[in-house]
Amino acid sequence: MEWWLGYLAVGAVVGFFAGMLGIGGGAIMVPLLVWLFEAQGLPKNHILHLAVGTAMATILFTSVASVRAHAMRGAIRWDIAWKITPGILLGGLLGSGLASVIPPVWFAALFTAVIYVAATNMLLDTKPRASRQPPGLVGMSVAGVTVSAFSAFAAIGGAFMTVPFMLWCNVPLLQAIGTASAIGFPIALSGTVGFVATGLLESGLPSHSVGFVFLPALGGIVVSSMLMAPVGAAAAHRLPTLWLKRIFAGLFYVLATRMLIGFL
């Protein structure tokens, strides 16, 4: 029972900050799941892969509400979403496949590097200058492979890369955010399929897992995160979100670094 409470707590934290700041939860969820899985005594050589695979699977559920909200406001550029999706699907499979075969310590290092980039982007709140129009199918596919492959290492929706990319392509900010939410679903789908498929080839995984997705954690996180996301969204209208982003970026640095040290 205590582990269920832990999963619910992780989901509540992730859902609140996702609703308030519009960020994916993998950056904070993965280190917390690593700690919980270690405390449970799950196999150490599979812990990080289980944490990332489980976190990626949660995005499948939590992204749906975000997509619906943005779609109702007409804030999604579906032409961009459809063009980038083939590359997204391929990149997620490639990234999750590569993640499953590299040693845990190298995986932890790559995870930390991706989180550092996301945290720095959040900390500086940088917005690139618009300088071109969105590319065609080939250009979008290349961008999709790149975004999705990196996202698979950290169980993040990819918005920290797709939003700046779309702003650079003269897409208005609200449409860039809305389109990024739609792109987050195929990122999560391809990443989850990849972590499930590669995990099924491994031995010694805990019971109640499907590949590298640990179902008890998935269930607890999804329930509480979806309940807390509206609370976070309401808080966003009353709190100084710029400073909260900076504080949260600092938390990213600390959690990712602490997890990396644990694998060294």
Side-chain angles (χ1 to χ4, degrees), residues 82-140:
W82 291 123
K83 285 181 181 178
I84 203 171
T85 292
I88 289 290
L89 296 173
L90 176 60
L93 293 173
L94 292 174
S96 56
L98 178 60
S100 68
V101 298
I102 62 178
V105 65
W106 287 105
F107 188 20
L110 286 168
F111 172 90
T112 303
V114 174
I115 296 306
Y116 275 14
V117 173
T120 302
N121 185 63
M122 183 185 297
L123 185 66
L124 299 177
D125 198 30
T126 55
K127 296 179 176 63
R129 181 178 301 175
S131 61
R132 56 161 299 156
Q133 294 300 311
L137 180 61
V138 174
M140 279 294 184

Side-chain angles (χ1 to χ4, degrees), residues 1-249:
M1 178 61 70
E2 65 271 19
W3 305 122
W4 276 100
L5 295 177
Y7 301 143
L8 290 171
V10 170
V13 171
V14 169
F16 178 79
F17 282 106
M20 183 168 61
L21 303 178
I23 58 174
I28 186 171
M29 193 189 317
V30 171
L32 294 177
L33 282 178
V34 166
W35 294 344
L36 280 174
F37 291 166
E38 286 177 341
Q40 284 182 256
L42 299 188
K44 187 171 179 60
N45 59 321
H46 292 314
I47 281 178
L48 183 55
H49 295 91
L50 284 166
V52 175
T54 302
M56 185 67 79
T58 65
I59 301 175
L60 281 172
F61 297 89
T62 57
S63 66
V64 172
S66 178
V67 172
R68 288 184 59 189
H70 286 293
M72 289 174 62
R73 292 168 174 79
I76 297 179
R77 284 282 302 270
W78 289 110
D79 58 321
I80 294 177
W82 291 123
K83 285 181 181 178
I84 203 171
T85 292
I88 289 290
L89 296 173
L90 176 60
L93 293 173
L94 292 174
S96 56
L98 178 60
S100 68
V101 298
I102 62 178
V105 65
W106 287 105
F107 188 20
L110 286 168
F111 172 90
T112 303
V114 174
I115 296 306
Y116 275 14
V117 173
T120 302
N121 185 63
M122 183 185 297
L123 185 66
L124 299 177
D125 198 30
T126 55
K127 296 179 176 63
R129 181 178 301 175
S131 61
R132 56 161 299 156
Q133 294 300 311
L137 180 61
V138 174
M140 279 294 184
S141 296
V142 172
V145 170
T146 303
V147 169
S148 191
F150 277 101
S151 298
F153 280 105
I156 51 182
F160 83 100
M161 295 175 68
T162 53
V163 170
F165 171 71
M166 284 183 279
L167 291 177
W168 178 58
C169 294
N170 272 295
V171 177
L173 178 60
L174 291 179
Q175 290 186 0
I177 294 173
T179 306
S181 72
I183 294 171
F185 184 83
I187 288 176
L189 177 62
S190 59
T192 300
V193 170
F195 277 105
V196 168
T198 55
L200 291 174
L201 302 175
E202 297 289 333
S203 59
L205 290 172
S207 57
H208 309 299
S209 63
V210 178
F212 285 127
V213 176
F214 192 52
L215 297 181
L218 173 65
I221 290 170
V222 167
V223 169
S224 57
S225 64
M226 295 186 76
L227 290 174
M228 287 301 295
V231 179
H237 295 279
R238 299 191 298 269
L239 298 174
T241 55
L242 178 60
W243 280 102
L244 287 169
K245 283 185 177 182
R246 290 171 177 171
I247 294 170
F248 207 54

